Amino acid sequence: MSDARFGLDRIARLATPLSLDGGASLASVEIAYETYGELSPAKDNAILVCHALTGDQHVASNHPRTGKPGWWTRMVGPGKPIDTDRYLVICTNVLGSCMGSTGPASLRPDGCPYGMSFPVITIRDMVRAQAMLLDHLGIPTLAAVVGGSMGGMQALSWAATYPERVRAAVVIASTARHSAQNIAFHEVGRQAIMADPKWRGGDYYGTGDPPTAGLAVARMAAHITYLSEAGLTEKFGRKLQAREVKTFGFDADFQVESYLRHQGLTFTDRFDANSYLYITRALDYFDLAEEHGGLLANAFRGSKTRFCLVSFDTDWLYPTAESRTIVHALNAAGAAASFVELHSPYGHDAFLLESPELNRVVDGFLRTNGHD
Amino acid sequence: MSDARFGLDRIARLATPLSLDGGASLASVEIAYETYGELSPAKDNAILVCHALTGDQHVASNHPRTGKPGWWTRMVGPGKPIDTDRYLVICTNVLGSCMGSTGPASLRPDGCPYGMSFPVITIRDMVRAQAMLLDHLGIPTLAAVVGGSMGGMQALSWAATYPERVRAAVVIASTARHSAQNIAFHEVGRQAIMADPKWRGGDYYGTGDPPTAGLAVARMAAHITYLSEAGLTEKFGRKLQAREVKTFGFDADFQVESYLRHQGLTFTDRFDANSYLYITRALDYFDLAEEHGGLLANAFRGSKTRFCLVSFDTDWLYPTAESRTIVHALNAAGAAASFVELHSPYGHDAFLLESPELNRVVDGFLRTNGHD
């Protein structure tokens, strides 16, 4: 594949302005993406993989900043369930993020960073940008769109917005709308960022001194919701960190404290605080039923897309009940849907971790995609 | 009762220094407390009510700063389950807090506020201070010690530390030890406070500008854990705050955001950030089994105290399983224990809210206390 549009570390500038749900229009949008595998002559073997809140386009290649392997190499690669020997796999950095796609850290036409003048975006806006990227790549339809967590919301939004372009959707550990508790946790994170004086109303790009303390606290709070109580107990319990006895001080006495602090700190090396604000807002705004007259089934009425829903039994961020709600709506809409709840001790994070069952489910579903 | 030791708004200075679990000794400790009702001639009708993390001694009287009614007037008062016509009810502000008892905002012997030079304290240290207060009041034994959440931990610690002084213990929505998830949430709150530049290493008392932003974020994160997911959905769902449509901005669009911000803000009017650090630390350190050779039953071996355990089915902060662990230990120790899980949609907060069942359980248990 010698076409410069395909490969690792690509950035495309969208040909036309992007019309946003909020009413604004965003010109000169750039979308960073990677592709793996080759497009078939019939251009019918593309799979779009969508990342979660703090993910990126490096689904199966090393992360340029951390050097770590791609975030879903368990799932994407030669011979893997999303088989790059058979499919052209595309992964984009979502609109509003900070790994190369246009977001609040990008420069406005006047040469200044957007900061908080960046328009509030939605999951559907992210999906619209991806659709325009597919146009740019000359890909009319997707064999499948696949994602976990916020990636699953994009998959749902794809199927609802461009039903004729999506033959199958795999929605893992996700939801059709953010609950009050989901919104509450995100609001804590946003307030933590905004309370950091270094945030400066979002105008910190020139300072070289971003609001890392607030962003770290936001990440810590969110991180707890990604893990199960049982998983935390199994991994850490009340074990002390590199000491025999409690110090009767405020150091990280407990391993779980040390772990959380580390999660917060390392996150600030790779993520932009304003992007965190905008993407959490997009998540909180997500309510697929609301976009379709208040009835979720309306989002899928007459859809020919085949759906595969997967939840994890210890996921309390987007619990199984949320997937069931989607399945009921798909059934009511007459759409083809399969659903399985998998067991895992790891809570919401399970979709990113070793899970042979998840691999089997995705592999099986894609193999019966009518394409093989 | 004309004795100046009894009544509302009292402060006692402990006669001798308080020896702490951390090894330090605290001189001139003051404990703020209130009493309701009268001590019987036999001095055997006292009930100690213990408050939760951010509670205070005003269990059945108006809060002097907020003007609001006492935090447990549903439970404590004339004719109430904890009947002030029959019992002398005592409620103390815990050591380390900020409503009159000695804590980090108090002055050291050198005239400066303790700040972070205040020693780290434990639940048992709080209980020791309460026992010394009882000595001061001339009360040898308690008809009962009663508390919810951190108050329940004090009740457990009382029974384990002074078994001969406690005839009955009522432990509501509590635990014998803080889990990894409990510690994690508290660590987020502490990091939020410490990340606030106005915290100044705890040395903010002279500035007139305390770390309210960090403290508000800490409170917001904790507050989510006090409510059930179902309760949040019922109360707020995705309802918008005083508007018809989403604003596509970062104002509090959703009622749950507005509610949480309000919770955070009002909290900073009445609570000291350093006290929040110290009391959450005491909670995280709490592990009653660890204090007794690693076996919880050892804490209650040979105890003549009668125990009443209550949990709420939607409490995910200290879920029913935690109460069951305590009951199993009490059974193994041969102690008298009754246990009931109550239904409530309100999560951990249920013990502070209208709950006729809780009132009935506490009333019934105290009436069969051998005292009537």
Side-chain angles (χ1 to χ4, degrees):
Chain A
M1 197 161 52
S2 61
D3 191 319
R5 289 174 297 178
F6 299 98
L8 302 183
D9 272 329
R10 297 294 195 272
I11 293 187
R13 177 170 294 208
L14 302 184
T16 54
L18 179 61
S19 294
L20 303 173
D21 274 334
S25 175
L26 208 52
S28 309
V29 170
E30 295 190 319
I31 296 296
Y33 66 99
E34 298 201 332
T35 72
Y36 312 80
E38 299 200 15
L39 188 62
S40 63
K43 301 183 177 185
D44 61 354
N45 72 330
I47 291 184
L48 179 68
V49 173
C50 301
H51 68 70
L53 168 48
T54 68
D56 52 55
Q57 65 273 37
H58 308 292
V59 58
S61 68
N62 288 351
H63 190 287
R65 220 172 294 177
T66 66
K68 286 186 183 169
W71 54 270
W72 224 12
T73 52
R74 286 183 175 88
M75 189 63 75
V76 179
K80 300 286 173 70
I82 299 174
D83 189 348
T84 52
D85 286 340
R86 299 163 55 229
Y87 294 105
L88 174 80
V89 174
I90 308 159
C91 187
T92 81
N93 185 222
V94 296
L95 181 73
S97 188
C98 51
M99 291 298 295
S101 290
T102 297
S106 303
L107 299 184
R108 288 189 305 231
D110 68 2
C112 298
Y114 278 101
M116 297 306 285
S117 75
F118 194 75
V120 165
I121 52 164
T122 65
I123 299 291
R124 187 160 56 182
D125 291 333
M126 297 175 186
V127 165
R128 284 192 185 105
Q130 289 162 344
M132 289 168 79
L133 175 71
L134 292 197
D135 295 342
H136 169 83
L137 297 178
I139 298 173
T141 64
L142 290 169
V145 54
V146 183
S149 197
M150 187 179 87
M153 298 178 212
Q154 292 164 68
L156 287 170
S157 186
W158 256 100
T161 312
Y162 304 106
E164 74 291 348
R165 294 186 78 167
V166 185
R167 294 205 297 283
V170 181
V171 180
I172 306 168
S174 194
T175 179
R177 65 178 207 171
H178 244 212
S179 73
Q181 192 182 66
N182 296 152
I183 296 170
F185 274 112
H186 277 170
E187 177 64 5
V188 168
R190 285 190 294 264
Q191 290 298 313
I193 290 168
M194 292 176 165
D196 189 333
K198 293 181 180 174
W199 179 61
R200 299 166 189 266
D203 193 16
Y204 53 80
Y205 295 111
T207 65
D209 194 15
T212 52
L215 182 59
V217 169
R219 175 65 167 179
M220 288 172 67
H223 199 83
I224 301 174
T225 70
Y226 303 153
L227 310 172
S228 72
E229 202 274 341
L232 272 169
T233 297
E234 186 190 309
K235 192 166 180 180
F236 303 110
R238 294 180 51 83
K239 289 197 285 282
L240 299 178
Q241 175 70 20
R243 61 203 66 184
E244 293 296 314
V245 293
K246 290 181 280 201
T247 61
F248 287 89
F250 289 91
D251 284 348
D253 263 8
F254 296 104
Q255 286 183 9
V256 67
E257 294 175 299
S258 173
Y259 169 78
L260 266 190
R261 289 188 193 181
H262 176 76
Q263 291 296 327
L265 245 125
T266 54
F267 181 60
T268 63
D269 289 338
R270 68 176 178 87
F271 215 80
D272 176 55
N274 284 342
S275 278
Y276 197 82
L277 297 179
Y278 277 88
I279 300 178
T280 56
R281 202 60 173 154
L283 283 162
D284 292 349
Y285 271 14
F286 186 61
D287 184 348
L288 199 50
E290 190 195 54
E291 293 173 8
H292 293 85
L295 194 64
L296 187 55
N298 287 346
F300 309 113
R301 198 85 55 195
S303 174
K304 292 196 184 69
T305 306
R306 293 169 57 249
F307 291 85
C308 173
L309 277 287
V310 183
S311 71
F312 291 95
D313 58 354
T314 55
D315 182 351
W316 60 278
L317 186 67
Y318 305 132
T320 291
E322 302 289 347
S323 289
R324 253 192 219 114
T325 299
I326 299 167
V327 173
H328 291 163
L330 289 168
N331 289 342
S338 70
F339 166 54
V340 62
E341 179 190 61
L342 298 180
H343 170 65
S344 163
Y346 301 118
H348 182 65
D349 257 0
F351 81 95
L352 292 169
L353 303 175
E354 185 67 29
S355 171
E357 292 81 5
L358 178 61
N359 279 25
R360 266 197 295 276
V361 168
V362 174
D363 185 71
F365 179 77
L366 292 179
R367 278 182 194 283
T368 55
N369 202 357
H371 186 71
D372 291 272
Chain B
M1 195 158 57
S2 61
D3 191 320
R5 288 173 298 179
F6 299 98
L8 303 183
D9 271 330
R10 298 295 194 271
I11 293 187
R13 178 168 294 206
L14 302 184
T16 55
L18 179 62
S19 293
L20 302 173
D21 275 334
S25 174
L26 209 50
S28 310
V29 170
E30 294 190 319
I31 296 295
Y33 66 100
E34 297 200 333
T35 72
Y36 312 80
E38 298 199 14
L39 188 61
S40 64
K43 301 184 176 181
D44 62 353
N45 73 331
I47 290 184
L48 179 68
V49 173
C50 301
H51 69 69
L53 169 48
T54 68
D56 51 55
Q57 65 272 37
H58 309 292
V59 58
S61 68
N62 288 351
H63 191 286
R65 220 173 295 178
T66 66
K68 287 188 183 170
W71 53 270
W72 224 13
T73 51
R74 285 183 175 88
M75 188 64 76
V76 179
K80 300 287 174 67
I82 300 175
D83 189 348
T84 52
D85 287 339
R86 299 162 58 226
Y87 294 106
L88 173 79
V89 175
I90 309 159
C91 187
T92 81
N93 186 222
V94 297
L95 181 73
S97 187
C98 50
M99 290 298 295
S101 291
T102 298
S106 304
L107 299 184
R108 288 189 306 230
D110 69 2
C112 296
Y114 278 101
M116 297 306 284
S117 75
F118 194 74
V120 165
I121 52 165
T122 64
I123 299 292
R124 186 158 59 181
D125 292 332
M126 297 174 186
V127 165
R128 284 193 185 105
Q130 290 163 341
M132 289 168 79
L133 175 72
L134 292 197
D135 296 342
H136 168 82
L137 297 177
I139 298 173
T141 64
L142 291 168
V145 54
V146 183
S149 196
M150 188 179 84
M153 298 179 212
Q154 293 165 68
L156 289 170
S157 186
W158 256 100
T161 311
Y162 305 106
E164 74 292 345
R165 295 186 78 167
V166 186
R167 293 205 298 284
V170 181
V171 179
I172 306 167
S174 193
T175 180
R177 65 177 207 173
H178 243 212
S179 73
Q181 193 184 63
N182 296 152
I183 297 171
F185 274 113
H186 276 171
E187 177 64 6
V188 168
R190 285 190 294 265
Q191 291 297 314
I193 291 168
M194 292 176 166
D196 188 334
K198 294 181 179 175
W199 178 62
R200 299 166 189 266
D203 193 15
Y204 53 80
Y205 294 111
T207 64
D209 195 15
T212 51
L215 181 59
V217 169
R219 176 65 168 181
M220 289 171 66
H223 199 83
I224 302 175
T225 70
Y226 304 154
L227 310 173
S228 72
E229 202 274 339
L232 273 169
T233 298
E234 187 190 308
K235 192 167 181 178
F236 303 111
R238 294 179 51 82
K239 288 197 286 280
L240 299 179
Q241 175 71 22
R243 62 202 67 186
E244 294 296 314
V245 294
K246 291 180 279 198
T247 62
F248 288 90
F250 288 91
D251 285 347
D253 263 7
F254 296 104
Q255 287 184 9
V256 67
E257 294 175 299
S258 174
Y259 169 79
L260 265 191
R261 288 188 194 182
H262 176 76
Q263 291 295 327
L265 245 124
T266 54
F267 182 60
T268 63
D269 289 338
R270 66 176 179 90
F271 215 81
D272 176 55
N274 284 341
S275 278
Y276 196 82
L277 298 179
Y278 277 88
I279 300 179
T280 56
R281 202 59 173 154
L283 283 162
D284 292 348
Y285 271 15
F286 186 61
D287 184 349
L288 200 50
E290 188 194 56
E291 294 173 7
H292 294 86
L295 195 62
L296 187 55
N298 288 346
F300 308 113
R301 198 86 55 195
S303 174
K304 291 195 186 68
T305 306
R306 293 168 58 247
F307 291 84
C308 174
L309 276 285
V310 182
S311 71
F312 291 95
D313 58 354
T314 54
D315 182 352
W316 60 279
L317 186 67
Y318 305 133
T320 291
E322 303 288 347
S323 289
R324 253 192 217 115
T325 299
I326 298 168
V327 172
H328 290 164
L330 289 168
N331 290 342
S338 71
F339 165 55
V340 61
E341 179 190 62
L342 299 180
H343 170 65
S344 163
Y346 301 118
H348 182 65
D349 257 1
F351 81 97
L352 292 169
L353 303 175
E354 185 68 30
S355 172
E357 293 81 5
L358 179 62
N359 279 24
R360 267 197 295 275
V361 168
V362 173
D363 185 71
F365 179 77
L366 292 178
R367 279 182 193 282
T368 55
N369 201 357
H371 187 69
D372 290 271

